[in-house]
Amino acid sequence: NELNIYDAPYIKTKTNGSYLIGPDQLYVRDPETGKPMIWDPTDKKAKAFNDPTIKDYALEGDYEVNGVKCHPAFELIKEHVKTYTPEYAEEVSTVPAKTTRRIAREFAQAAQVGSNIMIDGVELPYRPVGTAIFRGGQGHTNSLHSVYATHIIGQILGAADVPGSTIALC
């Protein structure tokens, strides 16, 4: 949040960050199809997430859809993590806030959000950073939050399954 570095095109089209969330913390759904909805700021209206007429995807803002006040999921995540400041982390981890800020800044800048690379004549996003958590981190009681936090960093920076980042081989 302090750096305001994130890969908006990636979040808009490759994640559910643009999906509208209602006050019940559930997706706002199209009444006809049941599909999650997004807000198209160009057309100034809600559309099903896979509507071929979508021109853009809102990542922030207050909207009302079918009488339901809602926000894009990305905005809710941004608001949620604001409470977890480097000062808060220092209290529970003993890592100085200035160190957390420095590492976050270095990592976000190293991600080169917006950069691309040509591979075999195909232009692809290039994010030379990665996060991974394996058996050590995920094998503990209540580790879900650690795993989630680790993975969401890559999603916010668009550094998931693209050249330079962590590639999932299944």
Side-chain angles (χ1 to χ4, degrees), residues 15-136:
T15 76
N16 63 355
S18 61
Y19 287 21
L20 296 173
I21 307 295
D24 58 3
Q25 300 301 302
L26 299 175
Y27 294 146
V28 174
R29 296 183 177 273
D30 181 293
E32 293 177 22
T33 66
K35 294 179 179 179
M37 301 188 78
I38 61 92
W39 187 265
D40 183 337
T42 302
D43 286 344
K44 296 181 174 70
K45 68 180 191 174
K47 299 178 180 180
F49 78 97
N50 62 347
D51 185 320
T53 68
I54 295 172
K55 296 181 179 85
D56 195 8
Y57 301 78
L59 291 179
E60 297 183 63
D62 300 319
Y63 305 100
E64 188 169 323
V65 178
N66 301 324
V68 176
K69 293 183 187 287
C70 51
H71 304 272
F74 180 69
E75 178 180 344
L76 297 177
I77 289 172
K78 282 183 70 172
E79 287 301 313
H80 175 72
V81 299
K82 280 182 181 178
T83 61
Y84 301 102
T85 65
E87 289 74 22
Y88 171 85
E90 181 175 2
E91 289 178 26
V92 297
S93 71
T94 72
V95 175
K98 68 178 186 175
T99 301
T100 299
R101 279 193 174 86
R102 178 184 57 80
I103 292 170
R105 183 180 58 257
E106 290 172 1
F107 192 87
Q109 289 171 344
Q112 299 180 32
V113 172
S115 67
N116 294 313
I117 188 170
M118 291 293 285
I119 299 177
D120 295 332
V122 177
E123 188 174 14
L124 299 166
Y126 178 62
R127 303 291 178 274
V129 296
T131 60
I133 195 162
F134 298 105
R135 183 72 177 118

